[in-house]
Amino acid sequence: MHFNPYGGPAAQVAAALVNLGPAPASTLLATLRAAGMTFAEFSDDDAAVVNDWLPRLRQVFAEKDTDTLVDLVNRLLADSACKPYVSRHDGKPAHLHYASEHAGAALRVQAYTAGGLAHLVCEDPSRIGMCANDGCGVVFVDTSRNGRRRFCSTRCATRVHVADHRQRAASLSV
Ligand SMILES: [Zn+2]
Ligand SMILES: [Zn+2]
């Protein structure tokens, strides 16, 4: 849970969870562990709470208007009881945590993802992205150097470019 650019791993976890969609506890846990979070326990009840949280995270990635974006993120912070504090557990250097290690698993996921998106909004809201291929729905944190990422993958980019060309060719032939 370190303080990195563009919301750091916390914002990345938010994107990964949204892209995963509602999932059973074991799948959610694998994604969270891959992102460096540790849990003594992750129950089906925790999974249900996290799954209910996902549409709210998706809303943030989908929102283009900064005023609305800020409102959405502030609501996430309020509802997640995000309570940042500095930890030096396990001999690590001082770093920011978003919730107590002793809070329940679902609460920690809510606080962590809300905190990550809050950092990201403060740094650069344009880095919060959703694939510009309509109907794809994959979300991402744009960590590219120029901050102009529009698509989740080259596959989606190619698809949209091909469609644009066809449309142009069609309008020329009329
Ligand atoms: Zn830590
Ligand atoms: Zn896509």
Side-chain angles (χ1 to χ4, degrees):
M1 320 225 173
H2 300 269
F3 203 92
N4 290 334
Y6 307 131
Q12 296 289 351
V13 170
L17 288 174
V18 169
N19 291 333
L20 185 65
S26 58
T27 312
L28 292 171
L29 187 56
T31 299
L32 294 164
R33 285 203 169 129
M37 289 188 86
T38 51
F39 298 95
E41 201 180 359
F42 196 91
S43 68
D44 288 341
D45 287 345
D46 290 321
V49 172
V50 170
N51 283 330
D52 283 347
W53 186 246
L54 297 185
R56 298 189 57 186
L57 297 180
R58 175 175 284 283
Q59 241 188 325
V60 170
F61 283 94
E63 185 56 55
K64 298 287 176 224
D65 177 68
T66 304
D67 289 341
T68 314
L69 193 57
V70 167
D71 283 348
L72 288 172
V73 170
N74 275 332
R75 255 176 273 158
L76 290 182
L77 288 170
D79 294 347
S80 68
C82 183
K83 205 173 170 190
Y85 75 101
V86 178
S87 177
R88 294 199 295 170
H89 63 92
D90 302 317
K92 290 185 187 174
H95 61 282
L96 198 62
H97 272 217
Y98 297 100
S100 160
E101 284 109 293
H102 308 298
L107 277 178
R108 283 176 53 212
V109 174
Q110 289 180 321
Y112 193 46
T113 50
L117 291 176
H119 276 300
L120 186 51
V121 164
C122 295
E123 270 178 288
D124 187 351
S126 73
R127 298 269 173 178
I128 299 177
M130 181 176 269
C131 183
N133 182 13
D134 291 340
C136 169
V138 168
V139 304
F140 52 80
V141 178
D142 181 357
T143 55
S144 67
R145 199 177 302 176
N146 65 11
R148 297 253 180 93
R149 183 171 169 192
R150 291 182 58 217
F151 298 99
C152 71
S153 62
T154 47
R155 203 167 131 255
C156 274
T158 307
R159 209 170 267 185
V160 168
H161 289 144
V162 168
D164 284 352
H165 279 294
R166 279 208 195 112
Q167 211 168 10
R168 232 170 288 150
S171 62
L172 284 174
S173 65
V174 171

